[in-house]
Short mmCIF file of all heavy atoms in Angstrom, two decimals:
data_model
loop_
_atom_site.label_atom_id
_atom_site.label_comp_id
_atom_site.label_asym_id
_atom_site.label_seq_id
_atom_site.Cartn_x
_atom_site.Cartn_y
_atom_site.Cartn_z
N MET A 18 115.89 75.10 97.42
CA MET A 18 115.42 76.36 97.91
C MET A 18 114.31 76.90 96.94
O MET A 18 114.45 77.01 95.81
CB MET A 18 116.57 77.39 97.96
CG MET A 18 116.18 78.81 98.31
SD MET A 18 115.38 79.00 99.89
CE MET A 18 116.67 78.37 101.00
N CYS A 21 113.75 81.08 94.76
CA CYS A 21 115.06 81.71 94.57
C CYS A 21 115.19 81.88 93.05
O CYS A 21 115.22 80.94 92.30
CB CYS A 21 116.16 80.90 95.14
SG CYS A 21 117.78 81.52 94.67
N ILE A 22 115.31 83.14 92.64
CA ILE A 22 115.40 83.42 91.17
C ILE A 22 116.64 82.77 90.55
O ILE A 22 116.57 82.22 89.47
CB ILE A 22 115.54 84.99 91.02
CG1 ILE A 22 114.22 85.66 91.31
CG2 ILE A 22 116.01 85.34 89.63
CD1 ILE A 22 114.29 87.21 91.27
N PHE A 23 117.78 82.82 91.27
CA PHE A 23 119.00 82.20 90.68
C PHE A 23 118.96 80.67 90.66
O PHE A 23 119.46 80.08 89.72
CB PHE A 23 120.22 82.77 91.38
CG PHE A 23 120.47 84.25 91.03
CD1 PHE A 23 121.52 84.89 91.64
CD2 PHE A 23 119.76 84.93 90.17
CE1 PHE A 23 121.79 86.27 91.37
CE2 PHE A 23 119.96 86.24 89.79
CZ PHE A 23 121.01 86.91 90.43
N CYS A 24 118.30 80.10 91.71
CA CYS A 24 118.09 78.59 91.62
C CYS A 24 117.23 78.28 90.39
O CYS A 24 117.47 77.30 89.70
CB CYS A 24 117.44 78.08 92.87
SG CYS A 24 118.53 77.79 94.21
N SER A 25 116.23 79.12 90.10
CA SER A 25 115.36 78.89 88.93
C SER A 25 116.15 78.97 87.63
O SER A 25 115.91 78.20 86.71
CB SER A 25 114.22 79.92 88.92
OG SER A 25 113.47 79.79 90.06
N ARG A 61 125.82 76.25 91.57
CA ARG A 61 124.57 75.51 91.38
C ARG A 61 123.95 75.26 92.75
O ARG A 61 122.67 75.19 92.86
CB ARG A 61 124.86 74.11 90.72
CG ARG A 61 125.25 74.28 89.29
CD ARG A 61 125.41 72.89 88.59
NE ARG A 61 125.78 73.06 87.19
CZ ARG A 61 124.89 73.35 86.20
NH1 ARG A 61 123.60 73.39 86.42
NH2 ARG A 61 125.30 73.52 84.99
N LYS A 62 124.75 75.14 93.76
CA LYS A 62 124.27 74.95 95.10
C LYS A 62 123.69 76.28 95.65
O LYS A 62 124.36 77.34 95.53
CB LYS A 62 125.37 74.45 96.05
CG LYS A 62 124.95 74.21 97.48
CD LYS A 62 126.10 73.87 98.34
CE LYS A 62 125.61 73.74 99.77
NZ LYS A 62 126.66 73.50 100.76
N HIS A 63 122.54 76.18 96.29
CA HIS A 63 122.00 77.39 96.94
C HIS A 63 122.75 77.71 98.26
O HIS A 63 122.63 76.91 99.19
CB HIS A 63 120.50 77.28 97.22
CG HIS A 63 119.94 78.51 97.85
ND1 HIS A 63 119.41 79.57 97.13
CD2 HIS A 63 119.88 78.90 99.15
CE1 HIS A 63 119.04 80.52 97.94
NE2 HIS A 63 119.32 80.16 99.18
N VAL A 64 123.46 78.82 98.29
CA VAL A 64 124.03 79.37 99.52
C VAL A 64 123.57 80.81 99.49
O VAL A 64 123.78 81.50 98.49
CB VAL A 64 125.56 79.23 99.57
CG1 VAL A 64 126.09 79.85 100.82
CG2 VAL A 64 126.01 77.80 99.40
N ASP A 114 119.34 86.69 97.32
CA ASP A 114 119.97 85.86 98.34
C ASP A 114 120.39 84.50 97.81
O ASP A 114 119.93 83.45 98.30
CB ASP A 114 119.01 85.72 99.54
CG ASP A 114 118.84 87.09 100.27
OD1 ASP A 114 119.77 87.89 100.23
OD2 ASP A 114 117.76 87.31 100.87
N HIS A 115 121.25 84.51 96.84
CA HIS A 115 121.92 83.31 96.33
C HIS A 115 123.30 83.84 95.86
O HIS A 115 123.36 84.71 94.99
CB HIS A 115 121.13 82.71 95.15
CG HIS A 115 121.72 81.47 94.56
ND1 HIS A 115 121.02 80.32 94.29
CD2 HIS A 115 122.97 81.18 94.10
CE1 HIS A 115 121.75 79.41 93.74
NE2 HIS A 115 122.99 79.93 93.59
ZN1 ZN B 3 119.16 79.87 95.09
#
Side-chain angles (χ1 to χ4, degrees):
M18 174 59 59
C21 172
I22 288 175
F23 289 175
C24 278
S25 299
R61 289 186 181 277
K62 179 184 177 187
H63 180 91
V64 179
D114 291 332
H115 180 131

